[in-house]
Amino acid sequence: MNHSESPELKETRTWKKRLLYSWIITIPVMVLMYLPMLFDLKILDPKIHSVILLVLSFPVIFIIGFSTLKSGFRGFFSFYFNMDSLIALGTVVAYTTGILNFFFPIQNYSGISAMIMAIFVTGKYIESKARGKAGQEIRKLLELGAKEARVLRGKEEITIPISEIKIGDIMIVKPGEKIPTDGIITKGESSVDESMITGESIPVDKTKGSNVIGATINQDGILYVKATKIGADTFLSHIIELVEEAQGSKIPIQKLADKITNIFVPSVLGLAALTFAGWAIFGNVSSAIGNAISVLVISCPCALGLATPIALTVGSGMGAKRGILIRKGEAIQTMKNVKVVIFDKTGTITKGKPEVTDIIPLEKTSEKELILIASSLEKLSEHPLSKAIVNHAPLKKYEKVSKFKILRGKGIEGTIKEKKYFIGNKKLMAENKISLNNYFNQIEKLESEGKTTMILAESKKVLGLIAVADSLKEDSKNAIKALHRRGYFTIMITGDNEKTAKAIAKKIGIKKVIAEVLPEDKSDKVKEIQEKGAFVSFVGDGINDAPALKQANVGIAMGSGSDIAIESGDIVLTKSSLRGVVQSINLSKATFGKIKQNLFWAFAYNVLMVPLAVAGIVHPVFAEIAMALSSITVVSNANLLRRKKI
């Protein structure tokens, strides 16, 4: 996706040009219209006066306002009316009175038509400028990217534009410089400020092998970084695309507003026709035309159309600044109904980096032998628990494993020197009829401490126990407390055994535990809770939890840096902190609150002003001013969202 030009900036520039040209022409029109009335002067012959007004008004209506007329009159052919339909009809009818004035004794509104269009253009310019301000977080993200990169080409250091970086290039990043693009450190150590991605002010320590994100700032050491992603594939580009996607999405309440608009506009056309007929019968034709124009102009539902998208733009921009990416706008509306928050354990509540805490050899097995067999088996698995065992005591030589098999949610089996081994949980042992009666107390004690216990067995004989614990994230407890204060019911779902899971839940304060759940069954558990009538938000790491995230009413995918699974959740958090869950819920509710306020004011405005126009109290020019002010009010109200603490 090309992010080089901001659509909001382009739109603002277009409306600014129209604003300038429309008032350059409309001001002389106003002078010609009102100067003779104010000073009781008769400068020109009425016929010549009418011709000049028609000539001057023509470019304002039919050239500067052409896009509005084209959009508005399209509805009369497709029978799908939009906001421009009323302005288009109102200004053209007003302009036509200047021509009819030559043949019938009616008031000439042609000059008024230019004023209506000029005020309409002014309102559109103010709206577009406010929209641009609301979308400025995207532009700030764009500006964060480095413009140049220092790369190694052979043995020579050269500086090239960011667009010329190739995958595999070695970039040299000095202290204080921005990392040009996503990559992996091949040499050097430093701290990197990732606040533009995570919202976290504390720099992150990076060493050889660490992933780094383009546009983050190197702090205190020289880094050699191998480029792994460029252009549209970088994490920053994904974030920008995600925010733009959210800002362009429609939520259910917006779809309802669109349906109302499509019914509202034809209703106003009918009301304008009745106003004209009523005033023509009981008043005069000039008043009938003027009041009908007022009804058309004042009823333009621009504020109604702006109410939702402008609030969504502000809200998603605020979120992007804090590392909260609203991927689907409808999540903002759905979040208000959520009462149950389900958390995955590993990598969500815990750090996701388990470590070996206990090694208990049994049946005359030595600790060395236990580690050798367990590590040889686990080395072939990518599971975090497997990595914990292998990392605990790195060996120079491992046993050769044949007939290796991963048993999802249970453990591993494999053959070493013609002996069949199992390593995994109690379920795996039970399936293979391996008795744990003699070791029940030891296993129970480890699990009561919140440790995951893996049992190593050869054939039917237990060789030992290895306990692994995954430490809690520092802010998990406070985040759960905050959710409880707001009335949410919390559940933890995990593949761990029930005792281990309950021990962790107790530490953190979670109310309910669903344990021993296979990854593919998590979505079924979410569905079961939904079938009881609850709206559910599921919080997971966004990769192995993808089905559950999709099943939930609102899926919140957690991740950090380039490992984030952007496609998984309705809301994506760029840092692995449960504080972001609380913030995303607060932001969703605050944004939806603004949407409701905006829709209320948009409807209230029409309910109040349309009867005044029908009654002939509001002049067409003041009708257009009121319409423009209603849109500006909605935009201003949406921008007040920035003051909200989330």
Side-chain angles (χ1 to χ4, degrees):
M1 183 176 285
N2 178 23
H3 303 288
S4 57
E5 170 106 52
S6 162
E8 294 94 351
L9 200 61
K10 191 176 178 182
E11 185 188 13
T12 302
R13 199 184 302 119
T14 301
W15 283 113
K16 189 176 182 179
K17 277 185 186 176
R18 291 175 184 171
L19 169 74
L20 185 66
Y21 293 136
S22 61
W23 282 110
I24 285 172
I25 300 168
T26 302
I27 287 170
V29 169
M30 291 170 67
V31 170
L32 276 170
M33 283 174 61
Y34 296 113
L35 199 65
M37 285 193 286
L38 289 171
F39 297 100
D40 197 23
L41 299 172
K42 192 175 180 181
I43 303 169
L44 297 168
D45 180 82
K47 299 285 183 187
I48 296 170
H49 186 262
S50 293
V51 169
I52 294 171
L53 287 179
L54 282 167
V55 169
L56 287 174
S57 299
F58 184 87
V60 180
I61 305 299
F62 298 101
I63 298 174
I64 296 167
F66 178 74
S67 62
T68 302
L69 297 185
K70 184 181 175 184
S71 169
F73 282 114
R74 193 183 291 129
F76 290 93
F77 298 101
S78 64
F79 296 102
Y80 195 93
F81 300 99
N82 60 28
M83 297 163 205
D84 293 338
S85 300
L86 300 177
I87 292 296
L89 186 63
T91 50
V92 169
V93 167
Y95 184 83
T96 306
T97 59
I99 299 168
L100 294 174
N101 178 251
F102 288 101
F103 309 102
F104 304 101
I106 59 171
Q107 190 171 341
N108 181 357
Y109 287 103
S110 60
I112 298 290
S113 72
M115 290 175 65
I116 291 170
M117 186 59 80
I119 295 165
F120 176 76
V121 168
T122 305
K124 281 291 185 183
Y125 167 68
I126 294 167
E127 282 172 23
S128 66
K129 198 168 182 181
R131 269 187 207 264
K133 188 181 176 186
Q136 67 187 347
E137 280 80 7
I138 289 183
R139 290 199 296 281
K140 283 178 183 174
L141 286 172
L142 283 167
E143 289 161 10
L144 285 171
K147 304 295 181 286
E148 293 181 328
R150 189 184 294 106
V151 299
L152 274 178
R153 292 282 163 88
K155 291 185 179 179
E156 191 183 351
E157 283 185 29
I158 60 168
T159 301
I160 59 172
I162 198 81
S163 58
E164 292 180 19
I165 294 176
K166 297 172 185 173
I167 290 175
D169 275 347
I170 301 296
M171 305 174 289
I172 302 163
V173 189
K174 294 182 177 178
E177 292 182 344
K178 290 177 181 176
I179 294 167
T181 192
D182 296 5
I184 187 166
I185 295 172
T186 59
K187 183 181 170 185
E189 295 182 0
S190 184
S191 295
V192 175
D193 177 2
E194 295 186 338
S195 57
M196 52 78 67
I197 294 293
T198 65
E200 194 63 61
S201 58
I202 299 168
V204 182
D205 290 335
K206 301 284 183 179
T207 57
K208 184 180 177 181
S210 298
N211 288 312
V212 289
I213 304 164
T216 56
I217 301 167
N218 182 24
Q219 296 284 290
D220 49 29
I222 296 177
L223 294 176
Y224 288 76
V225 180
K226 182 181 179 181
T228 55
K229 290 180 182 176
I230 55 173
D233 294 327
T234 63
F235 185 65
L236 182 61
S237 289
H238 278 311
I239 286 182
I240 294 165
E241 196 169 330
L242 200 61
V243 177
E244 286 177 342
E245 182 187 333
Q247 292 182 346
S249 66
K250 285 193 176 183
I251 66 175
I253 200 167
Q254 170 67 18
K255 290 172 184 173
L256 176 64
D258 289 347
K259 284 180 182 176
I260 291 169
T261 300
N262 202 39
I263 297 165
F264 179 75
V265 174
S267 302
V268 169
L269 291 172
L271 184 63
L274 289 172
T275 302
F276 175 81
W279 278 93
I281 295 166
F282 299 106
N284 57 69
V285 174
S286 288
S287 297
I289 293 171
N291 293 334
I293 292 168
S294 290
V295 170
L296 290 170
V297 169
I298 210 163
S299 301
C300 178
C302 296
L304 191 61
L306 269 174
T308 299
I310 195 69
L312 189 56
T313 300
V314 174
S316 56
M318 281 176 66
K321 208 172 178 181
R322 292 163 174 81
I324 301 163
L325 306 178
I326 299 166
R327 184 168 172 265
K328 292 183 180 174
E330 65 189 73
I332 283 174
Q333 182 168 346
T334 309
M335 187 62 85
K336 69 180 173 58
N337 298 318
V338 168
K339 296 298 175 191
V340 177
V341 183
I342 303 176
F343 295 89
D344 171 53
K345 180 181 78 76
T346 307
T348 303
I349 291 170
T350 64
K351 291 179 179 176
K353 292 181 180 177
E355 297 173 348
V356 172
T357 57
D358 301 84
I359 298 169
I360 305 170
L362 302 166
E363 300 294 333
K364 297 179 183 177
T365 308
S366 68
E367 185 173 318
K368 187 178 178 182
E369 187 184 356
L370 185 64
I371 285 292
L372 176 62
I373 296 167
S375 297
S376 298
L377 289 163
E378 299 286 13
K379 195 172 190 298
L380 301 173
S381 170
E382 289 297 314
H383 195 281
L385 295 178
S386 301
K387 289 181 178 178
I389 291 173
V390 175
N391 293 337
H392 177 71
L395 303 174
K396 290 181 180 178
K397 190 177 179 184
Y398 295 90
E399 297 286 359
K400 188 178 178 183
V401 180
S402 62
K403 297 178 183 176
F404 175 80
K405 193 186 287 183
I406 293 173
L407 306 164
R408 281 175 66 79
K410 299 167 196 169
I412 288 168
E413 69 175 56
T415 301
I416 299 173
K417 294 177 182 176
E418 297 184 2
K419 290 181 181 178
K420 190 172 184 180
Y421 291 94
F422 300 95
I423 183 166
N425 57 24
K426 288 185 284 189
K427 192 182 285 185
L428 178 63
M429 299 301 129
E431 282 183 6
N432 290 279
K433 297 182 173 61
I434 299 167
S435 175
L436 299 175
N437 291 340
N438 295 337
Y439 318 109
F440 182 78
N441 290 337
Q442 286 168 291
I443 294 169
E444 191 177 59
K445 181 178 179 296
L446 292 169
E447 290 177 349
S448 68
E449 294 167 0
K451 297 170 182 176
T452 300
T453 307
M454 287 181 284
I455 304 141
L456 178 64
E458 177 208 327
S459 189
K460 303 293 181 186
K461 184 174 73 172
V462 176
L463 300 181
L465 309 174
I466 300 175
V468 175
D470 185 5
S471 55
L472 297 172
K473 291 177 184 172
E474 291 79 5
D475 58 0
S476 291
K477 196 171 183 178
N478 289 336
I480 298 297
K481 275 185 182 176
L483 289 173
H484 289 165
R485 281 198 303 271
R486 287 162 175 77
Y488 291 96
F489 186 82
T490 55
I491 298 172
M492 184 177 80
I493 193 164
T494 177
D496 280 352
N497 64 77
E498 196 160 347
K499 281 188 178 167
T500 302
K502 281 185 174 176
I504 291 168
K506 190 177 179 182
K507 279 184 189 176
I508 200 172
I510 279 182
K511 292 181 177 178
K512 183 180 176 182
V513 170
I514 303 174
E516 298 178 31
V517 179
L518 296 174
E520 58 267 30
D521 295 335
K522 286 180 183 177
S523 61
D524 292 335
K525 295 294 179 186
V526 172
K527 195 174 181 181
E528 282 174 24
I529 294 164
Q530 288 173 321
E531 284 170 353
K532 292 174 184 173
F535 270 64
V536 173
S537 178
F538 184 89
V539 185
D541 65 13
I543 301 164
N544 62 347
D545 295 318
L549 285 161
K550 295 287 184 189
Q551 176 62 43
N553 300 95
V554 179
I556 302 177
M558 297 186 71
S560 58
S562 53
D563 294 327
I564 197 165
I566 283 178
E567 295 303 317
S568 302
D570 304 309
I571 296 172
V572 182
L573 308 180
T574 62
K575 54 181 173 177
S576 293
S577 167
L578 289 194
R579 187 176 62 180
V581 176
V582 180
Q583 289 178 333
S584 65
I585 289 171
N586 291 344
L587 177 63
S588 297
K589 289 193 169 183
T591 304
F592 190 68
K594 279 295 173 194
I595 289 170
K596 287 199 295 184
Q597 286 175 20
N598 279 352
L599 288 172
F600 168 78
W601 287 115
F603 278 117
Y605 156 81
N606 281 309
V607 168
L608 178 69
M609 298 301 291
V610 171
L612 296 178
V614 172
I617 296 169
V618 184
H619 188 273
V621 170
F622 291 110
E624 177 53 34
I625 291 170
M627 191 278 292
L629 284 174
S630 73
S631 297
I632 294 164
T633 301
V634 162
V635 170
S636 303
N637 185 48
N639 276 290
L640 289 175
L641 183 60
R642 296 177 188 281
R643 298 182 183 179
K644 194 85 175 174
K645 288 184 180 179
I646 63 163

